[in-house]
mmCIF file of all heavy atoms in Angstrom:
data_model
loop_
_atom_site.group_PDB
_atom_site.id
_atom_site.type_symbol
_atom_site.label_atom_id
_atom_site.label_comp_id
_atom_site.label_asym_id
_atom_site.label_seq_id
_atom_site.Cartn_x
_atom_site.Cartn_y
_atom_site.Cartn_z
ATOM 1 N N MET P 1415 86.148 114.461 114.623
ATOM 2 C CA MET P 1415 86.090 115.377 115.781
ATOM 3 C C MET P 1415 86.674 114.695 117.008
ATOM 4 O O MET P 1415 86.581 113.393 117.191
ATOM 5 C CB MET P 1415 84.671 115.706 116.085
ATOM 6 C CG MET P 1415 84.040 116.671 115.119
ATOM 7 S SD MET P 1415 82.485 117.240 115.678
ATOM 8 C CE MET P 1415 81.849 118.074 114.201
ATOM 9 N N ALA P 1516 85.740 120.294 117.899
ATOM 10 C CA ALA P 1516 84.535 121.005 117.474
ATOM 11 C C ALA P 1516 83.423 120.668 118.450
ATOM 12 O O ALA P 1516 83.533 119.857 119.249
ATOM 13 C CB ALA P 1516 84.200 120.585 116.037
ATOM 14 N N VAL P 1517 82.307 121.377 118.177
ATOM 15 C CA VAL P 1517 81.157 121.306 119.119
ATOM 16 C C VAL P 1517 80.478 120.044 118.920
ATOM 17 O O VAL P 1517 80.062 119.626 117.871
ATOM 18 C CB VAL P 1517 80.221 122.362 118.788
ATOM 19 C CG1 VAL P 1517 78.960 122.380 119.652
ATOM 20 C CG2 VAL P 1517 80.948 123.742 118.859
ATOM 21 N N LYS P 1518 80.313 119.294 119.971
ATOM 22 C CA LYS P 1518 79.517 117.989 119.925
ATOM 23 C C LYS P 1518 78.417 117.965 120.991
ATOM 24 O O LYS P 1518 77.818 116.921 121.197
ATOM 25 C CB LYS P 1518 80.475 116.888 120.084
ATOM 26 C CG LYS P 1518 81.377 116.614 118.947
ATOM 27 C CD LYS P 1518 82.423 115.690 119.196
ATOM 28 C CE LYS P 1518 81.925 114.371 119.550
ATOM 29 N NZ LYS P 1518 82.990 113.327 119.600
ATOM 30 N N SER P 1519 78.240 119.070 121.647
ATOM 31 C CA SER P 1519 77.300 119.142 122.693
ATOM 32 C C SER P 1519 76.616 120.468 122.580
ATOM 33 O O SER P 1519 77.266 121.484 122.627
ATOM 34 C CB SER P 1519 77.992 118.951 124.053
ATOM 35 O OG SER P 1519 77.003 119.059 125.008
ATOM 36 N N VAL P 1520 75.293 120.512 122.378
ATOM 37 C CA VAL P 1520 74.562 121.736 122.120
ATOM 38 C C VAL P 1520 73.428 121.954 123.050
ATOM 39 O O VAL P 1520 72.784 120.907 123.351
ATOM 40 C CB VAL P 1520 74.156 121.887 120.583
ATOM 41 C CG1 VAL P 1520 75.357 122.008 119.721
ATOM 42 C CG2 VAL P 1520 73.283 120.764 120.190
ATOM 43 N N SER P 1521 73.196 123.114 123.390
ATOM 44 C CA SER P 1521 71.972 123.318 124.177
ATOM 45 C C SER P 1521 71.117 124.385 123.470
ATOM 46 O O SER P 1521 71.538 125.335 122.875
ATOM 47 C CB SER P 1521 72.431 124.062 125.525
ATOM 48 O OG SER P 1521 73.297 123.188 126.149
ATOM 49 N N VAL P 1522 69.839 124.170 123.459
ATOM 50 C CA VAL P 1522 68.885 125.048 122.873
ATOM 51 C C VAL P 1522 67.740 125.288 123.763
ATOM 52 O O VAL P 1522 67.392 124.489 124.689
ATOM 53 C CB VAL P 1522 68.287 124.522 121.464
ATOM 54 C CG1 VAL P 1522 69.348 124.563 120.403
ATOM 55 C CG2 VAL P 1522 67.746 123.093 121.614
ATOM 56 N N VAL P 1528 67.454 123.172 116.132
ATOM 57 C CA VAL P 1528 68.901 122.861 116.336
ATOM 58 C C VAL P 1528 69.393 122.135 115.134
ATOM 59 O O VAL P 1528 68.734 121.274 114.537
ATOM 60 C CB VAL P 1528 69.099 122.052 117.623
ATOM 61 C CG1 VAL P 1528 68.333 120.707 117.665
ATOM 62 C CG2 VAL P 1528 70.542 121.808 117.907
ATOM 63 N N LEU P 1530 72.320 119.625 114.028
ATOM 64 C CA LEU P 1530 73.426 118.725 114.463
ATOM 65 C C LEU P 1530 74.492 118.742 113.344
ATOM 66 O O LEU P 1530 74.222 118.233 112.246
ATOM 67 C CB LEU P 1530 72.901 117.400 114.816
ATOM 68 C CG LEU P 1530 71.768 117.262 115.752
ATOM 69 C CD1 LEU P 1530 71.499 115.859 116.205
ATOM 70 C CD2 LEU P 1530 72.022 118.180 117.012
ATOM 71 N N PRO P 1531 75.686 119.198 113.703
ATOM 72 C CA PRO P 1531 76.700 119.375 112.668
ATOM 73 C C PRO P 1531 77.413 118.135 112.332
ATOM 74 O O PRO P 1531 77.363 117.146 113.003
ATOM 75 C CB PRO P 1531 77.730 120.333 113.311
ATOM 76 C CG PRO P 1531 77.550 119.979 114.795
ATOM 77 C CD PRO P 1531 76.175 119.681 114.995
ATOM 78 N N GLU P 1594 68.202 113.017 124.194
ATOM 79 C CA GLU P 1594 69.377 113.895 124.510
ATOM 80 C C GLU P 1594 70.562 113.445 123.735
ATOM 81 O O GLU P 1594 71.469 114.216 123.443
ATOM 82 C CB GLU P 1594 69.718 113.706 125.936
ATOM 83 C CG GLU P 1594 68.999 114.783 126.840
ATOM 84 C CD GLU P 1594 69.833 115.043 128.073
ATOM 85 O OE1 GLU P 1594 70.639 114.184 128.477
ATOM 86 O OE2 GLU P 1594 69.642 116.152 128.706
ATOM 87 N N ARG P 1610 79.174 110.738 119.137
ATOM 88 C CA ARG P 1610 77.951 110.926 120.051
ATOM 89 C C ARG P 1610 77.710 112.401 120.113
ATOM 90 O O ARG P 1610 78.714 113.137 120.342
ATOM 91 C CB ARG P 1610 78.368 110.310 121.299
ATOM 92 C CG ARG P 1610 77.384 110.288 122.419
ATOM 93 C CD ARG P 1610 77.912 109.371 123.502
ATOM 94 N NE ARG P 1610 77.208 109.660 124.789
ATOM 95 C CZ ARG P 1610 77.792 110.456 125.717
ATOM 96 N NH1 ARG P 1610 78.995 111.004 125.608
ATOM 97 N NH2 ARG P 1610 77.067 110.658 126.852
ATOM 98 N N ILE P 1611 76.537 112.854 119.959
ATOM 99 C CA ILE P 1611 76.192 114.237 120.126
ATOM 100 C C ILE P 1611 75.120 114.441 121.111
ATOM 101 O O ILE P 1611 74.086 113.719 121.098
ATOM 102 C CB ILE P 1611 75.762 114.868 118.700
ATOM 103 C CG1 ILE P 1611 76.931 114.754 117.774
ATOM 104 C CG2 ILE P 1611 75.327 116.258 118.853
ATOM 105 C CD1 ILE P 1611 76.665 115.231 116.354
ATOM 106 N N ILE P 1612 75.269 115.382 122.041
ATOM 107 C CA ILE P 1612 74.391 115.600 123.114
ATOM 108 C C ILE P 1612 73.523 116.862 122.806
ATOM 109 O O ILE P 1612 74.232 117.870 122.530
ATOM 110 C CB ILE P 1612 75.048 115.726 124.471
ATOM 111 C CG1 ILE P 1612 75.930 114.481 124.794
ATOM 112 C CG2 ILE P 1612 74.093 116.020 125.548
ATOM 113 C CD1 ILE P 1612 75.145 113.237 124.960
ATOM 114 N N VAL P 1613 72.293 116.805 122.921
ATOM 115 C CA VAL P 1613 71.454 117.965 122.682
ATOM 116 C C VAL P 1613 70.618 118.141 123.963
ATOM 117 O O VAL P 1613 69.961 117.283 124.381
ATOM 118 C CB VAL P 1613 70.468 117.811 121.470
ATOM 119 C CG1 VAL P 1613 69.569 119.064 121.424
ATOM 120 C CG2 VAL P 1613 71.207 117.588 120.208
ATOM 121 N N THR P 1614 70.765 119.328 124.586
ATOM 122 C CA THR P 1614 70.029 119.620 125.826
ATOM 123 C C THR P 1614 68.987 120.715 125.465
ATOM 124 O O THR P 1614 69.270 121.791 124.932
ATOM 125 C CB THR P 1614 70.971 120.220 126.891
ATOM 126 O OG1 THR P 1614 72.039 119.378 126.956
ATOM 127 C CG2 THR P 1614 70.235 120.086 128.258
ATOM 128 N N ILE P 1627 75.830 127.647 117.292
ATOM 129 C CA ILE P 1627 75.963 126.331 116.742
ATOM 130 C C ILE P 1627 76.527 126.467 115.309
ATOM 131 O O ILE P 1627 77.458 125.814 114.979
ATOM 132 C CB ILE P 1627 74.688 125.542 116.699
ATOM 133 C CG1 ILE P 1627 74.186 125.217 118.162
ATOM 134 C CG2 ILE P 1627 74.729 124.315 115.872
ATOM 135 C CD1 ILE P 1627 72.796 125.022 118.381
ATOM 136 N N SER P 1651 81.563 130.451 126.268
ATOM 137 C CA SER P 1651 80.230 130.370 125.582
ATOM 138 C C SER P 1651 79.119 129.953 126.544
ATOM 139 O O SER P 1651 79.195 129.053 127.173
ATOM 140 C CB SER P 1651 80.302 129.426 124.352
ATOM 141 O OG SER P 1651 79.000 129.211 123.890
ATOM 142 N N ASN P 1653 76.237 129.427 125.320
ATOM 143 C CA ASN P 1653 75.256 128.691 124.480
ATOM 144 C C ASN P 1653 75.787 127.337 124.057
ATOM 145 O O ASN P 1653 74.986 126.403 123.976
ATOM 146 C CB ASN P 1653 74.986 129.478 123.256
ATOM 147 C CG ASN P 1653 74.773 130.931 123.541
ATOM 148 O OD1 ASN P 1653 74.075 131.242 124.515
ATOM 149 N ND2 ASN P 1653 75.183 131.808 122.676
ATOM 150 N N VAL P 1654 76.988 127.163 123.966
ATOM 151 C CA VAL P 1654 77.511 125.986 123.378
ATOM 152 C C VAL P 1654 78.543 125.423 124.394
ATOM 153 O O VAL P 1654 79.519 125.966 124.748
ATOM 154 C CB VAL P 1654 78.250 126.331 122.044
ATOM 155 C CG1 VAL P 1654 78.761 124.977 121.465
ATOM 156 C CG2 VAL P 1654 77.286 127.065 121.084
ATOM 157 N N ASN P 1655 78.184 124.222 124.943
ATOM 158 C CA ASN P 1655 79.111 123.589 125.833
ATOM 159 C C ASN P 1655 79.970 122.588 125.194
ATOM 160 O O ASN P 1655 79.463 121.641 124.484
ATOM 161 C CB ASN P 1655 78.270 122.849 126.925
ATOM 162 C CG ASN P 1655 77.274 123.738 127.608
ATOM 163 O OD1 ASN P 1655 77.584 124.864 127.841
ATOM 164 N ND2 ASN P 1655 76.095 123.192 127.736
ATOM 165 N N ARG P 1656 81.238 122.779 125.309
ATOM 166 C CA ARG P 1656 82.159 121.789 124.616
ATOM 167 C C ARG P 1656 82.424 120.645 125.504
ATOM 168 O O ARG P 1656 82.582 120.830 126.763
ATOM 169 C CB ARG P 1656 83.455 122.490 124.268
ATOM 170 C CG ARG P 1656 83.256 123.418 123.136
ATOM 171 C CD ARG P 1656 84.546 124.275 122.956
ATOM 172 N NE ARG P 1656 85.719 123.393 123.143
ATOM 173 C CZ ARG P 1656 86.826 123.850 123.660
ATOM 174 N NH1 ARG P 1656 86.946 125.108 123.941
ATOM 175 N NH2 ARG P 1656 87.844 123.099 123.855
ATOM 176 N N GLN P 1657 82.523 119.502 124.910
ATOM 177 C CA GLN P 1657 83.013 118.330 125.674
ATOM 178 C C GLN P 1657 84.538 118.320 125.588
ATOM 179 O O GLN P 1657 85.123 118.890 124.645
ATOM 180 C CB GLN P 1657 82.554 117.089 124.933
ATOM 181 C CG GLN P 1657 81.129 116.627 125.367
ATOM 182 C CD GLN P 1657 80.994 115.222 124.826
ATOM 183 O OE1 GLN P 1657 81.404 114.912 123.770
ATOM 184 N NE2 GLN P 1657 80.364 114.417 125.591
ATOM 185 N N ASN P 1658 85.113 117.621 126.414
ATOM 186 C CA ASN P 1658 86.559 117.460 126.447
ATOM 187 C C ASN P 1658 87.328 118.784 126.184
ATOM 188 O O ASN P 1658 88.043 118.927 125.225
ATOM 189 C CB ASN P 1658 86.990 116.515 125.342
ATOM 190 C CG ASN P 1658 86.342 115.155 125.429
ATOM 191 O OD1 ASN P 1658 85.884 114.863 126.579
ATOM 192 N ND2 ASN P 1658 86.237 114.485 124.386
#
Side-chain angles (χ1 to χ4, degrees):
M1415 289 187 190
V1517 179
K1518 289 170 59 174
S1519 180
V1520 293
S1521 300
V1522 287
V1528 62
L1530 304 189
E1594 270 207 338
R1610 181 168 161 262
I1611 296 177
I1612 303 294
V1613 177
T1614 317
I1627 293 156
S1651 172
N1653 312 322
V1654 182
N1655 305 319
R1656 285 169 41 210
Q1657 274 194 321
N1658 304 337

